[in-house]
Amino acid sequence: NPEITPLVPVLQSYWLMSHVAIIMIGYVFFALCALTGLFNLILMNLLSATNRVKLLFRIREFTLLNEMAMILGLFFMTAGTFLGAIWANVSWGRYWGWDPKETWAAITWMGYLLYIHLRLFRRTGRKTLYALLIVSFLALQMCWYGVNYLPTAQQSVHLYNRNN
């Protein structure tokens, strides 16, 4: 519908603005994590006897950047999810409804929490951890963008391209 209409009342909330802004900040940090994880996977595959010292130094730098971005991303995603729950309670009288976007947000959050915990164990290989980061970022893309194209998402409270 090309006609511009006023926002529905549920979208005129400061809880919504803070929820979306903080979640997006977390997404930026998670994108940085995915990139550094991908760079580390590439560097690990390029390791040889001649460049080992230099590449291990770069891998260590990317790992530190990755872990700092992961902690910030997880903090912002958690805070944004709590703000979204407050907004949902104000708007619909419930904190969590397990609609497709909320379900994928939970899957994404658990994937990043799994990474945070598995990195503490020495038995977990670095390549496995970086692959988990990339899979978690793909889950994040599904949560952010892909869920809008699922047939079950047509009943979601998160779709605003139609009249709710």
Side-chain angles (χ1 to χ4, degrees), residues 88-99:
N89 189 45
V90 168
S91 301
W92 295 287
R94 61 162 176 79
Y95 291 101
W96 191 268
W98 291 106
D99 83 346

Side-chain angles (χ1 to χ4, degrees), residues 60-79:
R60 192 173 311 121
E61 283 181 329
F62 279 134
T63 300
L64 289 173
L65 177 63
N66 188 308
E67 290 187 4
M68 287 186 282
M70 173 61 60
I71 291 167
L72 288 169
L74 204 51
F75 170 77
F76 281 109
M77 184 175 187
T78 303

Side-chain angles (χ1 to χ4, degrees), residues 36-96:
T36 56
L38 185 63
F39 288 156
N40 272 348
L41 280 175
I42 292 169
L43 292 176
M44 286 175 174
N45 287 322
L46 295 176
L47 277 175
S48 67
T50 57
N51 64 8
R52 186 168 190 78
V53 173
K54 184 186 277 188
L55 287 187
L56 284 177
F57 179 74
R58 293 290 175 226
I59 289 171
R60 192 173 311 121
E61 283 181 329
F62 279 134
T63 300
L64 289 173
L65 177 63
N66 188 308
E67 290 187 4
M68 287 186 282
M70 173 61 60
I71 291 167
L72 288 169
L74 204 51
F75 170 77
F76 281 109
M77 184 175 187
T78 303
T81 301
F82 277 111
L83 290 170
I86 293 169
W87 171 52
N89 189 45
V90 168
S91 301
W92 295 287
R94 61 162 176 79
Y95 291 101
W96 191 268

Side-chain angles (χ1 to χ4, degrees), residues 106-122:
I107 291 168
T108 302
W109 189 69
M110 285 187 256
Y112 285 116
L113 277 179
L114 183 64
Y115 171 84
I116 287 287
H117 287 82
L118 285 180
R119 71 183 172 86
L120 300 174
F121 298 108
R122 294 290 175 215

